[in-house]
């Protein structure tokens, strides 16, 4: 049976109530490309099928691994590829365990799910119980630990045992408590439970009774007959490793076990939120370090199959990794990009092969390029304020130059990676667009429409007093939001010869715009009759777009991916538009500054000035 790590944090999971109709759920699977685990190094084997946090991982064999997480995420890894099993988005699945390849359980958010070797189905149980952890020992002996509702808005720690025909409850009479872990130190011994109220406690379940264990401190985590206890009597070495003997007494295995506070452990693999260490005779050896993703769970199959054994790791922001090890226990961590020293700016832009991100350091500024082969920087001498791809695939970047020092730098990067400086506009630039290096146009913030002719910028039209937004999808399909004195802000379209006003009827002004470059759909929010109204424009016709009423159509926050799906960034969440509704696509504990989604290269999220999360649709 696999040994597992359960993360113990102080934050209580949000409780979400959701039910499926009894019976078997229909599953939608989406396979990835095959993955070959690499011996003696860590390899990111997953991130394409969801950006939701992964909370738990379990498997009896290295080619039969289950991962579960937020929004009903269930993933299966067969040693080559990962397939997603699509279930209810409202479920937050927090644990998974099994006792056979056709007897696997996942729990969370008032639900217990069972895999019978063919499909996942919900196992009905009475309401009021929210499971957090699961221990599967046999098809008729499955324990779910969590909390159950009690009178006066209280919650009591509880265990429900599945007997094959129904459930039997074991409830602890302790207010505001919950079970966070279940384990059995000895095969023929009693069941143990970790319970959190204001502190962590350990209980032995004997004959249905809860028996509090008199241990020398708070239990942190346990694995088999080993338990990690934070004694709290030494600030430098606050934890010790103990062995639980058959008579339930404790024997010290390692004194002064670790030099800093342990947040979670799967002994002898000790997992911090940012790394993993391996213990050999109470000596720590670092196996994995991660400065930008939090480890949630670890699985080590006892039947590794062909090749070297593997460690499976899951965590927040959809981190899933597999690592092999050699006999000398040397592990290499393959890091995507050590980017801590770079201050990233928006907007990021990708083309399926590379991602381009404006950056600045103390002595350099330009474009940070991230690709499958790694990353590098391409200095330009300024921080690009805008990026667009020309119709021929070249990249065009420019500096808006808001302020006193007006230059209007513009650079073109061809597909070989070579940069060429175009003549500056010498004006504050609202946007630049073009089909090729010989057909480039620009719009100034003073609403001057410019065209590059013979190395000089020629004013072709004066559209109004100020331009707030400018974009296009073809030489005869350009759009601009322009303020015209006494008329308000108008939305204009260029057909290759003239500009015309396409503002919706009775609109006092256009508030914000976004152009989907793949479907060539224009989204706009107008101020009509004292209220905001959202529309979308395609093939010369405006139609209602009520979905925008929730957020808007801000060009800096909205994104249309190459497959036509719409995304929107708001605060700490990225939403995806499903038929008629915005649903969370990715959530982070910090403010999200920018993101980019591409069905080929994946999804990238910028959090803070020095951090990038990378999720590839192509397993590495």
């Amino acid at each position: 049976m696999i040994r597992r790590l359960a993360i113990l944090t102080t934050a209580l999971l949000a409780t979400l109530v959701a039910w499926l109709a009894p019976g078997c759920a229909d599953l939608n699977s989406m396979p990835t490309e095959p993955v070959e685990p690499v011996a003696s190094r860590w390899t990111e084997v997953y991130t394409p099928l969801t950006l939701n946090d992964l909370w738990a991982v379990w498997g009896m064999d290295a080619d039969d691994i289950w991962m579960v997480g937020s929004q009903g995420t269930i993933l299966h890894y067969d040693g080559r590829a990962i397939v997603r099993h699509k279930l209810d988005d409202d479920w937050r699945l927090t644990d998974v365990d099994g006792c056979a390849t056709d007897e696997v359980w996942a729990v969370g958010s008032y639900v217990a799910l069972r895999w019978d070797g063919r499909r996942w189905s919900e196992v009905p149980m009475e309401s009021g119980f929210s499971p957090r952890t699961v221990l599967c020992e046999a098809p008729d002996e499955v324990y779910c630990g969590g909390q159950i509702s009690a009178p006066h808005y209280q919650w009591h720690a509880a265990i429900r045992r599945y007997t094959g025909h129904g459930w039997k409850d074991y409830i602890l009479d302790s207010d505001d408590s919950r079970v966070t872990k279940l384990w059995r130190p000895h095969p023929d011994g009693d069941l143990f439970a970790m319970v959190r109220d204001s502190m962590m406690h350990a209980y032995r379940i004997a004959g249905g009774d809860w028996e509090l264990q008199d241990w020398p401190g708070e239990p942190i985590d346990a694995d088999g007959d080993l338990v990690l206890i934070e004694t709290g009597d030494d600030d430098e070495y606050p934890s010790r490793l103990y062995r639980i003997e058959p008579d339930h007494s404790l024997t010290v295995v390692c004194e002064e076990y670790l030099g800093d506070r342990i947040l979670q452990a799967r002994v002898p693999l000790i997992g911090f939120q940012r790394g993993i260490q391996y213990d050999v005779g109470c000596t720590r050896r670092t196996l994995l370090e991660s400065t930008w993703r939090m480890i949630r769970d670890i699985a080590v199959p006892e039947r590794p199959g062909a090749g070297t054994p593997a460690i499976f790791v899951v965590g927040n922001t959809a981190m899933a990794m597999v690592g092999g090890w050699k006999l000398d226990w040397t592990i290499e961590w393959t890091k995507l990009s050590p980017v801590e020293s770079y201050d990233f700016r928006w907007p990021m832009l990708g083309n399926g092969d590379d991602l381009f991100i404006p950056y600045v350091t103390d002595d350099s500024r330009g474009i940070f390029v991230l690709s499958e082969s790694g990353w590098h920087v391409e200095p330009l001498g300024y921080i690009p304020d805008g990026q667009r791809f020309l119709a021929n695939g070249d990249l065009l970047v420019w500096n808006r130059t808001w302020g006193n020092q007006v230059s209007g730098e513009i650079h073109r990067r061809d597909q070989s990676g070579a940069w060429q400086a175009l003549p500056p506009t010498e004006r504050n630039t609202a946007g630049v667009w073009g089909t090729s290096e010989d057909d480039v146009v620009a719009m100034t913030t003073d609403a001057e429409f410019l065209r590059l002719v013979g190395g000089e910028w020629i004013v072709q039209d004066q559209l109004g007093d100020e331009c707030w937004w400018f974009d296009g999808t073809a030489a005869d399909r350009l759009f601009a939001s322009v303020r015209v004195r006494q008329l308000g802000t108008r939305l204009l379209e260029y057909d290759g010869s003239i500009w015309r006003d396409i503002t919706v009827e009775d609109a006092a002004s256009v508030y914000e715009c976004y152009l989907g470059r793949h479907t060539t759909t224009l989204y706009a929010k107008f101020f009509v009759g004292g209220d905001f109204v959202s529309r979308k424009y395609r093939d010369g016709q405006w139609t209602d777009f009520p979905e925008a009423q929730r957020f808007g159509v801000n060009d800096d926050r909205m994104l249309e991916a190459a497959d036509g799906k719409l995304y929107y960034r708001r605060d700490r969440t990225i939403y995806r538009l499903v038929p008629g509704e915005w649903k969370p696509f990715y959530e982070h504990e910090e403010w999200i500054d920018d993101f980019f989604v591409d069905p080929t290269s994946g999804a990238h999220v910028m959090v803070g000035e020095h951090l990038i999360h990378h999720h590839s649709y192509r397993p590495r």
Side-chain angles (χ1 to χ4, degrees), residues 448-469:
E448 294 175 308
F449 180 51
L450 311 179
R451 186 176 296 276
L452 186 61
V453 180
E456 295 185 10
W457 288 100
I458 306 298
V459 178
Q460 287 205 320
D461 209 337
Q462 179 72 49
L463 303 180
D465 300 298
E466 291 180 277
C467 178
W468 299 108
W469 172 82

Side-chain angles (χ1 to χ4, degrees), residues 533-594:
V533 176
S534 299
R535 301 281 191 272
K536 56 184 178 180
Y537 181 81
R538 190 173 184 184
D539 298 329
Q541 299 292 326
W542 286 105
T543 56
D544 289 339
F545 185 50
E547 295 89 345
Q549 293 300 109
R550 179 178 180 184
F551 299 133
V553 290
N554 191 300
D555 184 60
D556 296 333
R557 297 173 177 270
M558 197 168 180
L559 176 73
E560 181 188 84
D563 56 6
K565 291 183 172 62
L566 285 176
Y567 300 82
Y568 197 89
R569 169 180 60 90
R570 184 169 186 175
D571 300 338
R572 296 170 176 83
T573 305
I574 296 171
Y575 296 86
R576 179 170 58 187
L577 183 64
V578 298
E581 182 182 0
W582 290 98
K583 285 196 173 184
F585 174 72
Y586 169 75
E587 297 176 282
H588 198 273
E589 60 268 20
E590 298 179 42
W591 195 280
I592 297 173
D593 295 300
D594 198 12

Side-chain angles (χ1 to χ4, degrees), residues 411-429:
H411 280 75
R412 181 181 64 87
R413 183 185 190 272
D414 65 27
Q415 297 179 64
S416 70
W419 286 96
Q420 174 193 2
L422 300 184
T425 62
E426 298 182 350
R427 297 168 173 87
N428 284 326
T429 306

